[in-house]
Amino acid sequence: MLRTRRCGHEPMNQGTPPEELPTEVLDDVASAVRAEVTRVSRLPGGINGGAVRVQVAGRTDAVLKAAPRAHPHHLDETLRAQRVVEHMRGRGYPTPAWLAVGATATHVWQLMDFVDAAPASELTPSLVEQLMEIIELQAGQASEPYDHWSYAWRVATGQEPAAAGRDPDEAPEQSRLRRSIAGLSGYSPAVSALVERLRLVSADVPPPRDAPDMVHADLATPGNVLVVDGTVVAVVDIGNAGSGTRAIDLATLVWYCFKDPLLDDVRGRLWTRILDLVGGEGAAVLTAAHTLHMLEFPIRDGRDDVVPQVVERGHRALDELDSLR
């Protein structure tokens, strides 16, 4: 659930800026693809560095991203994302192909197709409608046991993994975020009141029983949507993809659709689809989980000016959902 914005590629956590990219990473990529790899330029955008446009000898340009090894399973998580990409591309999902994945002693890297398109500067009704159609391609396509649905329930309810009745495959980043979210109430009385309200709407909801769909987990961030003349040509930032309910991605779109009154109508259609998929209780859990994440990010980063906006939007989302349930 990390929020990053890039051009023509999927970002990774804690990317290494190209000027700091170790030579051994480029050498490892070249060895993997059996061709010379030449750095072209750093790609713009994003809050994490590390996306570099490269030329692979004898092929078109590609995008290389490298991140310092964050934990022992970092490469396994990247390989999981690669499998999700291959699975979904085989079903018409518009995400760039991953050409290679690998690791050195210090970094994990991925090489993918370069998409010559611009990231969307903002969501529009047309883009949201297109994304809703793309999300439907995720139906029944869960292929990896990386369950965002159960994780959202744990975040919303404050429950530990064992409370779900099984031992889920929770990634280190998910565990860290969940622990950080558990301490949000101490930030301010306004945040505490919102957290209490979010916990209350989720308190009696049982854990989800299945995770049938593929979940992108950051499809709604405009910079992760690449467009040409207003048409979506690719969605990126798929490194955190897994399984769950596609309503997770719809709920994320709802959050971003509060930014512009022109999106009010399409936001209503999003709510309707979410309620059709997971019902009122499920919608409450997904709204609570996403709001808690949106609180955690600025509080963690010390962006105190953003927190009141998140609090206001969180209450607005709950009010709107209450009127529809």
Side-chain angles (χ1 to χ4, degrees):
M1 301 203 177
L2 302 176
R3 296 299 182 266
T4 50
R5 294 184 182 182
R6 298 268 182 226
C7 178
H9 52 84
E10 291 85 9
M12 287 181 67
N13 298 343
Q14 302 175 340
T16 303
E19 61 272 20
E20 301 175 9
L21 191 65
T23 301
E24 56 266 28
V25 172
L26 284 173
D27 291 343
D28 196 52
V29 176
S31 177
V33 299
R34 299 181 180 181
E36 182 180 0
V37 177
T38 305
R39 179 187 297 138
V40 176
S41 63
R42 180 174 180 171
L43 290 168
I47 59 175
N48 297 326
V52 184
R53 185 171 178 174
V54 297
Q55 174 67 54
V56 180
R59 308 183 190 183
T60 58
D61 284 1
V63 174
L64 171 63
K65 298 201 297 36
R69 283 182 180 264
H71 50 79
H73 302 295
H74 194 158
L75 177 58
D76 292 336
E77 291 183 356
T78 307
L79 290 169
R80 179 206 71 226
Q82 183 185 37
R83 292 192 297 271
V84 173
V85 167
E86 292 174 351
H87 175 80
M88 293 305 298
R89 280 178 57 82
R91 285 147 183 82
Y93 198 72
T95 197
W98 286 26
L99 307 176
V101 170
T104 66
T106 58
H107 287 73
V108 176
W109 58 265
Q110 59 191 261
L111 186 74
M112 62 206 70
D113 278 341
F114 173 77
V115 178
D116 190 10
S121 59
E122 60 184 1
L123 291 176
T124 65
S126 174
L127 287 181
V128 174
E129 295 282 5
Q130 291 177 63
L131 290 175
M132 290 179 70
E133 293 181 6
I134 289 170
I135 289 170
E136 286 305 306
L137 296 174
Q138 302 169 198
Q141 297 303 323
S143 61
E144 293 290 326
Y146 182 45
D147 188 351
H148 288 283
W149 193 192
S150 292
Y151 169 72
W153 178 83
R154 295 193 298 276
V155 168
T157 62
Q159 297 287 342
E160 289 296 319
R166 59 183 183 275
D167 184 18
D169 185 18
E170 188 171 83
E173 177 67 7
Q174 288 181 321
S175 297
R176 186 198 65 76
L177 279 171
R178 192 166 49 79
R179 290 192 298 269
S180 181
I181 286 168
L184 290 178
S185 291
Y187 177 81
S188 71
V191 168
S192 179
L194 176 58
V195 171
E196 182 178 3
R197 186 181 180 191
L198 295 168
R199 297 293 193 207
L200 283 174
V201 300
S202 309
D204 297 326
V205 180
R209 291 177 293 181
D210 55 18
D213 303 334
M214 175 267 194
V215 175
H216 181 288
D218 198 12
L219 184 57
T221 304
N224 294 337
V225 180
L226 305 184
V227 298
V228 173
D229 296 330
T231 299
V232 177
V233 297
V235 294
V236 296
D237 192 11
I238 203 168
N240 198 40
S243 60
T245 169
R246 61 193 185 279
I248 292 171
D249 290 324
L250 295 170
T252 306
L253 276 174
V254 165
W255 181 267
Y256 284 93
C257 283
F258 279 109
K259 289 185 175 182
D260 188 341
L262 293 176
L263 298 174
D264 287 352
D265 288 343
V266 73
R267 189 174 69 251
R269 291 193 287 280
L270 286 166
W271 279 126
T272 298
R273 187 64 183 131
I274 292 168
L275 291 167
D276 287 344
L277 288 171
V278 297
E281 288 188 341
V285 164
L286 297 183
T287 301
H290 190 77
T291 303
L292 288 166
H293 279 99
M294 293 299 97
L295 280 172
E296 195 274 342
F297 297 142
I299 289 175
R300 182 214 315 167
D301 294 339
R303 298 166 59 203
D304 297 339
D305 58 317
V306 176
V307 176
Q309 303 169 35
V310 176
V311 171
E312 187 276 333
R313 193 181 301 182
H315 283 297
R316 185 179 174 190
L318 288 175
D319 290 344
E320 194 164 272
L321 177 58
D322 284 345
S323 72
L324 298 170
R325 293 172 63 181

